[in-house]
Amino acid sequence: IYGRTWDEFLQFLDILRVHYKLNSKRVLLVLVHNLSFEFQFIKKLIKWDKGRKGYAKIFALDPRKIIKAESAGIEFRDSLALTNTSLLKVAKDYKLAHQKLAGDLDYNLTRFFDSDLSEQELAYCFNDVLILSDFFNTYIKPSFIDKNIKIPLTSTGILRDELRRKFNKLAPPVKNKYLSRISKAFPTYEFYEILMNWVFRGGYVHSDPGLTDQTILFSLGSVDFKSAYPAAMLQELMPWEFVKALPEEWVKMLDGRITKNESFIGYFEISGIKSKGFISYESSNKILSYENAVWDNGRLWSADKIYVWLTEYDMKIYHDVYNIENVRCIELYKAIKEPLPQFLKDLILKYFVLKEETGKRDKGSVDYALSKARLNSFYGMVCTGLYAESFSYNEESGLIESIPNEKTYNELIENQILLPVWGIYTTSIIRYRLIHYGFCKLAENGKGQAIYGDTDSIKCLNIFENMYVFENFNNMIRRKNKSMYVGKYPREYFLNLGIFDFEEKIMKFKCLGAKRYLASYAVYNKKSKKYELKHVSTIAGMKKGTLEDYATYHEKDIYDCFKDGLLLDLNLSKKLTSIYNDNGFSMNYEGHDISEKSCVTLINIPFKLSLTEDYILLLEYIRKQNDNRLVKKRYVNMLY
C-alpha cells in the first residue's frame, strides 16, 4: 500500500485497527528498519499508549535510539536492532525472496507529496517493504510466533531469552541454589560502578608506533583467533565472588605464588612507567589520574605516575610491555576461579558446533549466518550492564528524556543469572593472549614484529618466518582443548578452538593508528590473466570504499592519499550526519506549503583524516631514537 501524506498514513493505521479489531491484547506487529529515524517524524503525530506512572509505552536505549513504540494495538518494532545489520545484508543473509534493488535513490532531489515518482523509485521503496515482509514470514513467525516465544527486542536479546529458557528448565533445587549463589557473588553497587567504569576494557586495537605512518612492502600477513571470546569462556576458569583482601597480597602474582585458581582486581599507584617501545597498552580513559603523561594516540606511552584499576591479566600485560619503577597496591579484591555454569557453556558449545557444521556445508547458508551471529552474541550478553536509568517520551517537548530507574540496585540484580566479571575477564584473557603470545613473542625473537592488532587479530612482518611463534601458542591451546568440557559433542569439533589461524597474505600495508589502515592484496584477474593489487581501507568514520574512490577520482596513488591531513569535501566524503528538529516548522517552499511537527535530515559533511599533535610528536621522537628498530638494516628493504 502506497501513501504520500501523513494524514493518509494515520488513516491507514485506523483502517488496520478496525479491520483487525486491534486492542491491547490483539496487537499488530509493524517492522521498521531503523525505527529511530522514522520515529522522529511520527512521534508527535501518533497518540502513544500509556504504561506505568503515565509514561508512554516507548522503549529506548538512549534518547535517539528507539526500538519499540506502542499505539492502540499497533506495535512498531525496530528490525535493525533485532538483526544488527543493514537491510541489504538481511536480505542476503536470510536468503529472502526479495533482495535490495540496485542503485540507490537520489536523496539530493527535492520531492513533495505530489511529485511524480518514476516506476523505478516506487519499486525501490516497495521492494524494501517486501524484504521486511519476507523477513517476518521466513524468520520471525516460525522462530518465535509459531513457537509461542516472546519476540526479543535486540539481537543479543534473542540469545539471552534462549539462555533464560534453558536455565528455567533446570530442576528447581538446582536453579534455586544457583540463584542464591549468583546473588551472593554479585558485587556491591560501589564495586559494580568501579568494575564497569574502570576495570572493564574492550579488545586491544592499536598499531606499533615505530611502524605507524610507514608504507611497508611484502613479507606481511595476518592471523586471527578462531572464535576468540567463546574460546576464552570455554577454556578458562572465571572468578565468581570477589572479597576484599590485604593490598600486599597482590605481589603473589609477580613472584609466581599465585595459583591458576586465583584472580584479583586492584587499585594501583604505578610510578616511572614507560613503554618498552613496541606497544602502548593502557587507554587514557581507564586511568583515574596521572602525572606528566605522554600519549600514543590515546594510549599511555609513559608517565611519572598513574592511578589505575587492573585485573591480574592487565598487570601481567603491564609488565610485558612497560618498564616500571615502582608499584603500590592501594586497594585489593580477590576471588577463586571456577568454570562457568554448565547451562551457559552448553549453549556456547551448541552454536559453535552449529557454526562449524553449517560452515563446512555452505558458508553462504542462512543457518551459518545465524549460528555465527549467535556465537558472537555471547560476549555481548555477559558484558551487558544493568540499566542505571530509564527513558520516557515527553509529549510536550517531543523528547525522550532520562528518568531515574524505578528499581533499586538490589532489585535490578534480583534473578540475574550472569555475573558482570565474566565479561570483564573474557576480554582480559583475549587481550593477554593477543599481546603476550603475539606482540611480545614476536618482539622477543628479533625476526619480525607485529604492526597492528585488532581485538583478535595481528598483522605482522615476516609472517611465514614467524609462524612457529603462533604454532607454539596453538599447541598450548590444543592441549587445553583436549581437557575442556565439550558436553555431548565429539571432541574433534573443538581441537582448533581459540588457535591463531592464518588469515591472509598482505602485499602492502600502511596504518595511521587504531582503526586506520590500508592493506593491498594480490587478486587474480581472469581477463588479463595477471595478478593485480586490490586495495582495502579501514578508516573509522569513513564509509567503505571512499578512499579507493577518492584516489581513482584524482588519479593518485592511494598510499599517497592515505596520510595525515587528508580532506574529503562534501561530494567525496560519503559521510553523513543527522540534524534533528524537535519543534517542527511550517513554510512555503517552491510554491508548496509544507510543515512537519518534528523531523530529521541526513546531510553530507566533509571528512578530515588527522593525527593529534601529541601523536605526531611521539612518532617523530621514536624515529629519532638510535635504537629504533626501523633503522636496522633488515627492515630497510621493506620500507619506502
Side-chain angles (χ1 to χ4, degrees), residues 555-602:
E555 297 181 342
K556 290 183 177 181
D557 184 296
I558 192 169
Y559 282 82
D560 291 337
C561 298
F562 183 52
K563 62 183 178 180
D564 178 39
L566 169 67
L567 179 63
L568 306 185
D569 63 22
L570 296 174
N571 299 316
L572 293 172
S573 74
K574 300 181 185 178
K575 187 175 177 62
L576 299 171
T577 191
S578 301
I579 296 180
Y580 292 86
N581 183 323
D582 295 305
N583 300 316
F585 69 93
S586 294
M587 65 184 296
N588 185 281
Y589 186 76
E590 295 185 3
H592 288 77
D593 290 324
I594 58 174
S595 66
E596 292 288 349
K597 291 188 176 181
S598 60
C599 57
V600 59
T601 186
L602 299 174

Side-chain angles (χ1 to χ4, degrees), residues 212-429:
T212 297
D213 199 16
Q214 303 291 321
T215 299
I216 305 171
L217 295 169
F218 310 117
S219 197
L220 294 112
S222 177
V223 295
D224 67 346
F225 290 128
K226 185 180 178 68
S227 299
Y229 287 158
M233 296 170 75
L234 291 170
Q235 293 163 349
E236 301 293 346
L237 301 174
M238 295 285 179
W240 285 56
E241 181 182 4
F242 275 92
V243 296
K244 205 149 192 179
L246 295 173
E248 53 267 25
E249 286 191 49
W250 78 272
V251 297
K252 289 197 299 181
M253 186 278 295
L254 290 181
D255 61 19
R257 285 185 287 129
I258 192 168
T259 71
K260 66 177 182 179
N261 294 335
E262 287 182 284
S263 279
F264 77 80
I265 291 172
Y267 181 48
F268 297 94
E269 175 194 82
I270 301 179
S271 304
I273 181 171
K274 185 177 180 181
S275 171
K276 292 180 180 178
F278 60 93
I279 193 173
S280 302
Y281 172 67
E282 190 58 271
S283 175
S284 60
N285 62 14
K286 292 301 174 182
I287 299 175
L288 281 80
S289 63
Y290 55 83
E291 296 176 10
N292 297 324
V294 175
W295 304 105
D296 172 5
N297 198 26
R299 293 191 178 272
L300 182 71
W301 174 262
S302 66
D304 290 348
K305 188 175 290 185
I306 63 170
Y307 292 86
V308 64
W309 284 91
L310 303 172
T311 68
E312 73 273 17
Y313 286 105
D314 293 315
M315 180 60 83
K316 289 177 182 178
I317 295 171
Y318 265 50
H319 284 275
D320 274 340
V321 304
Y322 290 117
N323 290 312
I324 296 172
E325 291 178 4
N326 188 55
V327 178
R328 180 172 71 91
C329 184
I330 300 170
E331 194 172 348
L332 189 71
Y333 295 83
K334 68 178 183 179
I336 300 299
K337 290 182 186 177
E338 299 178 49
L340 288 176
Q342 188 171 316
F343 69 89
L344 172 59
K345 294 172 81 170
D346 282 340
L347 202 57
I348 299 173
L349 293 169
K350 169 190 168 180
Y351 281 111
F352 179 76
V353 169
L354 192 59
K355 181 180 82 78
E356 292 295 290
E357 289 181 340
T358 55
K360 286 179 182 177
R361 292 196 299 270
D362 179 11
K363 285 195 173 183
S365 68
V366 175
D367 288 338
Y368 177 76
L370 289 178
S371 59
K372 186 177 180 180
R374 298 292 176 273
L375 191 64
N376 292 338
S377 293
F378 278 100
Y379 165 67
M381 184 173 64
V382 294
C383 73
T384 301
L386 300 173
Y387 293 110
E389 59 184 357
S390 299
F391 298 98
S392 174
Y393 178 63
N394 185 320
E395 289 180 302
E396 291 184 9
S397 67
L399 298 175
I400 300 289
E401 298 175 349
S402 173
I403 58 174
N405 203 311
E406 295 177 14
K407 292 185 177 181
T408 66
Y409 178 73
N410 288 336
E411 288 172 330
L412 284 171
I413 67 175
E414 193 176 344
N415 291 321
Q416 290 288 324
I417 59 175
L418 301 173
L419 291 172
V421 293
W422 296 341
I424 289 169
Y425 268 78
T426 297
T427 54
S428 292
I429 290 163

Side-chain angles (χ1 to χ4, degrees), residues 29 127 161 176 248 259 414 481 533 557 618 629 633:
L29 182 69
N127 196 75
D161 287 354
N176 292 334
E248 53 267 25
T259 71
E414 193 176 344
N481 292 339
L533 281 184
D557 184 296
L618 177 67
R629 288 161 294 147
K633 290 182 180 179

Side-chain angles (χ1 to χ4, degrees), residues 211 214-223 447-452 458-467 470 502-511 517-522 533 559 635 637-639:
L211 291 173
Q214 303 291 321
T215 299
I216 305 171
L217 295 169
F218 310 117
S219 197
L220 294 112
S222 177
V223 295
K447 293 182 180 178
Q449 59 195 105
I451 308 170
Y452 185 85
I458 292 177
K459 292 176 171 56
C460 75
L461 294 173
N462 300 322
I463 182 72
F464 297 112
E465 291 180 40
N466 287 280
M467 285 306 294
F470 304 115
F502 177 74
E503 188 178 20
E504 56 200 352
K505 185 177 180 181
I506 303 170
M507 303 305 294
K508 199 172 181 181
F509 187 80
K510 182 180 180 182
C511 63
Y517 63 86
L518 173 62
S520 301
Y521 308 92
L533 281 184
Y559 282 82
Y635 293 120
N637 65 339
M638 300 178 194
L639 311 170

Side-chain angles (χ1 to χ4, degrees), residues 103-251:
D104 289 337
L105 291 181
D106 186 352
Y107 289 101
N108 292 316
L109 290 179
T110 301
R111 297 183 181 89
F112 302 96
F113 76 92
D114 56 354
S115 298
D116 288 333
L117 297 179
S118 68
E119 289 188 11
Q120 182 183 4
E121 289 171 323
L122 288 169
Y124 189 89
C125 298
F126 187 41
N127 196 75
D128 280 3
V129 177
L130 288 175
I131 290 172
L132 286 182
S133 179
D134 290 347
F135 176 67
F136 175 86
N137 287 309
T138 61
Y139 177 67
I140 291 182
K141 187 175 183 294
S143 299
F144 302 104
I145 295 175
D146 291 348
K147 295 178 181 179
N148 198 28
I149 295 173
K150 182 182 73 173
I151 303 170
L153 291 173
T154 64
S155 56
T156 303
I158 297 172
L159 190 65
R160 187 180 290 108
D161 287 354
E162 183 177 356
L163 183 72
R164 177 65 71 170
R165 292 194 298 273
K166 191 173 184 64
F167 173 75
N168 288 335
K169 290 180 181 178
L170 297 174
V174 176
K175 190 163 61 174
N176 292 334
K177 184 178 179 181
Y178 179 80
L179 283 173
S180 175
R181 188 170 180 212
I182 288 290
S183 178
K184 184 173 181 290
F186 227 89
T188 64
Y189 176 72
E190 293 73 21
F191 192 43
Y192 175 81
E193 289 285 288
I194 290 170
L195 290 174
M196 302 312 291
N197 291 325
W198 301 109
V199 182
F200 175 78
R201 292 162 173 79
Y204 178 80
V205 183
H206 206 35
S207 59
D208 181 329
L211 291 173
T212 297
D213 199 16
Q214 303 291 321
T215 299
I216 305 171
L217 295 169
F218 310 117
S219 197
L220 294 112
S222 177
V223 295
D224 67 346
F225 290 128
K226 185 180 178 68
S227 299
Y229 287 158
M233 296 170 75
L234 291 170
Q235 293 163 349
E236 301 293 346
L237 301 174
M238 295 285 179
W240 285 56
E241 181 182 4
F242 275 92
V243 296
K244 205 149 192 179
L246 295 173
E248 53 267 25
E249 286 191 49
W250 78 272
V251 297

